[in-house]
Amino acid sequence: MRHHEWVPIDEIVKKAKMPEKDVLYRLKRLNKFEFVVRSIYGYAVSFGGYDALAIDALYKKGILKAIGNKLGVGKEGDVYNVLLSDDREAVLKFHKHGRTCFTRGKRYREFVSNKHHISWLYMSRLTAEREFEILNELFPTVKVPEPIAQNRHAIIMGKITGEELKVLDLEKLMSKEEIEELFNKIIEEIKKAYKIGYIHGDLSEFNILLDENLDFVIIDWPQAITKGHPDAEFYLKRDINNIVRYFKKYKIKADPDEIYKYVVGE
Ligand SMILES: Nc1ncnc2c1ncn2[C@@H]1O[C@H](COP(=O)(O)OP(=O)(O)OP(=O)(O)O)[C@@H](O)[C@H]1O
Ligand SMILES: [Mg+2]
Ligand SMILES: [Mg+2]
């Protein structure tokens, strides 16, 4: 996977240790289910096939019991409701890096800069590993989903029953004082994450979920950068600006420069 996107048929036959006609029969069926794709160079695993491999591995490890409906399709991944072996509900996020947004790729260079010829599947695995690692470092100090498991391009994390700030009308849910308190608490989480060493990098009302107790969780961390990154100031300021802009419509006044100083201060 790491070295080829397309695997020549004779190489598959060698690896499979099966007669060529059996291998061809199986490949044809996998192709029918769209688990592999075919070209003149050979076969490659498709995203669907990679999804199946990750689900199979998580099931065999005794973590996953069932997969439910799709929660949302993000720009970079699909999110599903799942049931864990201990009957807990959770969510599974498949990273689908490179499906759309190419410009975002730049930020991943921090951790892939010295690797060449990276396939999209491999890139998706790297971003899943990255998000899982960051969640492990932040949880439970920062309000982020609980990291549960990771395999290939998939991560399983705690489920937040709630909605994105984007789709809510806060004035219908809470008082002006409570809205102000929510704003302050979000800034505190930005500061805590920064103290641990991370800047979210894509923070906005789309990536903050509010639950039924009006508590919140910050999701979607794969693009987070470390505070030592050369563009750290730019991304931190942008995250802060997005939050200030969102709360402005609820008449919360705040100076982004003051908040920036507060976040990076001791
Ligand atoms: N832990 C979670 N609990 C509940 N819902 C979640 C969770 N994680 C993600 N979701 C839902 O799935 C959507 C997509 O998740 P996320 O933002 O992490 O992925 P993304 O593909 O990077 O999306 P984006 O296009 O915003 O970058 C979220 O907006 C949210 O509605
Ligand atoms: Mg998101
Ligand atoms: Mg995202």
Side-chain angles (χ1 to χ4, degrees), residues 74-77 79 91 93 104 157-158 160 164 207 219-220:
K75 282 190 287 290
E76 285 152 23
V79 180
V91 304
K93 174 175 170 179
R104 284 199 182 187
M157 60 184 147
I160 295 112
E164 293 149 23
N207 285 329
I219 60 162
D220 199 2

Side-chain angles (χ1 to χ4, degrees), residues 160-168 205 208-211:
I160 295 112
T161 311
E163 302 261 24
E164 293 149 23
L165 284 187
K166 172 69 192 168
V167 302
L168 298 171
E205 59 274 34
I208 301 175
L209 304 181
L210 197 69
D211 68 21

